Amino acid sequence: MGHIHLGVLPQSRKWREVVDLLDAGAIAEDVIAASARAAEREMLDAARSPVVVEAVRLLLMVPHAARQDDFGLALRNLNLAVGSAPSLLEILSASSEVLDATGRDTRDNSDLGELAGRALVATFSDQIGDALPGLFAATPADVQAVAQRLSWRNGIAVLSRAFFARLMADTLSSWLDRTLSAQVGEGRRFADAQSRNKFDQALAQYAQEASAIIQEFSPGWYGKRLYEDGRISTTQAAAFTAVSFKKIVEELKRKRVVHD
């Protein structure tokens, strides 16, 4: 994947409110909630990014490919350039290459697309890699077995939630980093790196809580699509992306009402 070029925060009223909260020393939860509110439009428009949609398609179809006897062939049918017995590193690399190509072909060089690619790689690395008997000790059969477990009801629920929580947290971080990087040091909002890390942890927790709804609805949607069509198409991945972020935004609004 490429590189995100951070500039300044958008000059919308909602993002100016975020800066005002930071300057006023507001608690982390209030800053994060205001950031989520300011980023709602970007999240609701996520399905317009071909790279985001392709990342979601791979998120859902790579585990399904692991159900096939020939895992390598099934992955190649998803346009992933892997060998006959793919390792996790091969899958991660091939996934990044596909997303890079999608970005070039569609001229989608958006930050959100870049973040979706990173979220996909991180999610596969965590959800598959952490269950392997050591990254380098694992055999291709181990990789396929773990990936296959993610294709069933409980697996796809956890996998989908992990991806959207990561993408949401990274999206908010990418915007906030444009101003938070200048607020670490003596006499500033964050006295040191440890203080900043605590804020990042609070942001990740906020995103994890907001994405709980994804874990609830994704298994039923996934199972129905595979039963009826046998695969997740680009169009269906776009629909899943749109519905997922709509549900997350609705949850964020509910959290604000409860908090207020």
Side-chain angles (χ1 to χ4, degrees), residues 7-20 23 38-39 42 175 178-179:
V8 297
L9 277 170
Q11 294 302 305
S12 69
R13 176 181 58 81
K14 291 179 180 180
W15 279 114
R16 288 197 299 271
E17 290 174 356
V18 174
V19 174
D20 289 343
D23 291 341
E42 285 83 359
W175 288 109
R178 305 172 195 217
T179 187

Side-chain angles (χ1 to χ4, degrees), residues 127-203:
Q127 298 299 318
I128 298 177
D130 288 355
L132 293 174
L135 182 58
F136 297 103
T139 67
D142 293 327
V143 174
Q144 181 175 358
V146 174
Q148 184 183 94
R149 288 200 294 271
L150 293 174
S151 74
W152 305 114
R153 183 177 182 86
N154 290 340
I156 208 66
V158 172
L159 184 72
S160 299
R161 181 182 183 180
F163 171 80
F164 281 99
R166 180 67 177 248
L167 180 53
M168 178 188 168
D170 287 355
T171 298
L172 297 185
S173 291
S174 74
W175 288 109
L176 287 170
D177 280 348
R178 305 172 195 217
T179 187
L180 292 182
S181 59
Q183 301 206 26
V184 178
E186 186 176 352
R188 300 177 183 177
R189 177 183 176 84
F190 305 109
D192 49 34
Q194 184 177 3
S195 299
R196 172 61 200 276
N197 288 339
K198 288 182 179 179
F199 181 90
D200 291 339
Q201 290 169 6
L203 192 157

Side-chain angles (χ1 to χ4, degrees), residues 53-54 89 170 239 249:
V53 171
E54 181 63 9
L89 291 179
D170 287 355
V249 168

